[in-house]
Amino acid sequence: MNKSFPSIVILTLSLFFIACSEDNKPPIVIEQPLAEVTQLDVSYGENPQQTYDLYLPGGRSSEKTKVIILIHGGGWIQGDKSSMEVYVPLLKEKHPNHAIVNLNYVLAQVPTVPAFPNQFLDLGRAINKLTRESESLQIAPEFGLIGVSAGAHIALQYDYVYDTEDQVKMVCDIVGPTDFTDPFYTENANFQFLLNALVDETAYPENSNIAQLISPALQVTESSSPTLLFYGNEDPLVPLTNGETLQENLSSNGITHSFIVYTGGHGNWDEASNLDLQLQLTSFINDHLPVAE
């Protein structure tokens, strides 16, 4: 008998099983990068005004794709996210790997629907929804806030008071009111009426100094986020002293910040100033809300 026969059989069987094993291997799947997606009027609450537009970049992931939230102005009683749409293509161009959210919130209706703290809480509701859905959306739940006028006030107050989980990493304040104890406001004959109309006093401790509690410049702590400030030196609606007070308190608490003053009023600045704002904002986002390569 040929002694090599068992060896040939073993070799043949081995090759057979190897071939079968290779045939049973699952096919190699090459994952394609996620495509860019836009979702308009996403609901984050029961009120029809509680919506946002969401712009998700292509190639996003839950490890790197951080979120920029835009917050419109309008004196807390009017305005719409449509006024912030001009920022969307600018941010897409300069920060193509960030997700962008353009937020609406419930507007105050005097005297039945107060602004505060409701509008701060609306921002929190939107952030909570985005956080809950971060895996399915493939975004990282880290946020930068860009607010204009009343929207800047909401953004600052949310970060300084309500962001207990430190999800907000930076705030951009464009002509935002920051200190309602400023004589510019308190010496206005209608100030107390407006304060009473805009604030739900039952949401705050009894006998509180409401004007102080809703003034973000007076709520700065060592845990506040890096803040970028833009103000006009001739603003008839928000005094430059509001920006100066915020700057002083950021400095005294050791918070990274930049304070830029342009010639002009409530955001109606010349082209050179607006281009500088874009450059300053781009740099600030790169420094404080970077996307890992």
Side-chain angles (χ1 to χ4, degrees):
M1 182 176 181
N2 188 341
K3 294 182 179 180
S4 65
F5 178 75
S7 299
I8 293 172
V9 171
I10 292 171
L11 178 60
T12 302
L13 289 173
S14 298
L15 292 173
F16 173 78
F17 284 120
I18 289 172
C20 290
S21 175
E22 289 178 348
D23 289 342
N24 291 331
K25 282 184 179 179
I28 297 173
V29 177
I30 300 175
E31 293 188 6
Q32 298 297 320
L34 293 173
E36 182 177 349
V37 173
T38 297
Q39 299 178 4
L40 301 180
D41 294 320
V42 178
S43 175
Y44 65 88
E46 296 181 358
N47 191 295
Q49 295 181 57
Q50 291 172 318
T51 64
Y52 56 70
D53 297 338
L54 176 61
Y55 303 88
L56 299 171
R60 63 191 176 278
S61 76
S62 58
E63 288 77 34
K64 70 176 185 179
T65 306
K66 300 174 186 178
V67 185
I68 299 169
I69 300 181
L70 303 171
I71 309 167
H72 72 81
W76 307 283
I77 61 173
Q78 59 186 358
D80 184 82
K81 56 185 167 64
S82 60
S83 67
M84 299 296 285
E85 288 176 357
V86 65
Y87 287 87
V88 174
L90 296 173
L91 291 170
K92 282 186 173 183
E93 177 186 357
K94 299 297 183 181
H95 306 282
N97 296 315
H98 284 78
I100 303 167
V101 171
N102 193 6
L103 183 75
N104 265 349
Y105 47 88
V106 178
L107 300 174
Q109 297 180 32
V110 179
T112 56
V113 181
F116 316 129
N118 297 359
Q119 292 173 359
F120 313 136
L121 300 177
D122 272 359
L123 175 53
R125 290 185 184 97
I127 287 176
N128 288 341
K129 177 180 173 65
L130 291 162
T131 300
R132 289 194 305 270
E133 297 176 359
S134 58
E135 280 299 322
S136 61
L137 295 173
Q138 286 295 285
I139 57 173
E142 295 185 20
F143 302 89
L145 309 179
I146 301 174
V148 174
S149 193
H153 168 256
I154 295 168
L156 292 167
Q157 186 78 355
Y158 182 82
D159 178 67
Y160 298 170
V161 177
Y162 296 89
D163 181 33
T164 57
E165 301 298 321
D166 191 30
Q167 290 182 277
V168 176
K169 303 303 179 183
M170 57 147 283
V171 182
C172 174
D173 157 25
I174 304 175
V175 298
T178 70
D179 179 12
F180 293 111
T181 69
D182 191 307
F184 178 89
Y185 298 112
T186 59
E187 293 177 3
N188 185 311
N190 295 318
F191 173 70
Q192 194 58 50
F193 168 78
L194 293 172
L195 192 67
N196 294 340
L198 290 174
V199 178
D200 177 6
E201 293 192 8
T202 65
Y204 296 92
E206 190 175 355
N207 299 319
S208 294
N209 184 336
I210 298 295
Q212 179 178 341
L213 288 180
I214 63 172
S215 296
L218 308 183
Q219 305 302 319
V220 178
T221 68
E222 293 179 353
S223 61
S224 298
S225 295
T227 305
L228 179 61
L229 298 75
F230 297 102
Y231 285 86
N233 63 357
E234 300 171 356
D235 193 331
L237 300 178
V238 178
L240 185 58
T241 51
N242 265 213
E244 293 169 342
T245 299
L246 178 54
Q247 180 198 29
E248 291 168 5
N249 289 343
L250 290 167
S251 294
S252 63
N253 282 276
I255 304 303
T256 299
H257 66 282
S258 183
F259 180 40
I260 298 101
V261 179
Y262 298 127
T263 299
H266 198 64
N268 55 329
W269 306 316
D270 61 23
E271 183 178 358
S273 298
N274 286 316
L275 288 174
D276 181 71
L277 185 152
Q278 294 174 31
L279 292 173
Q280 298 278 357
L281 179 57
T282 294
S283 177
F284 208 78
I285 292 172
N286 288 338
D287 287 343
H288 301 289
L289 198 70
V291 171
E293 297 297 332

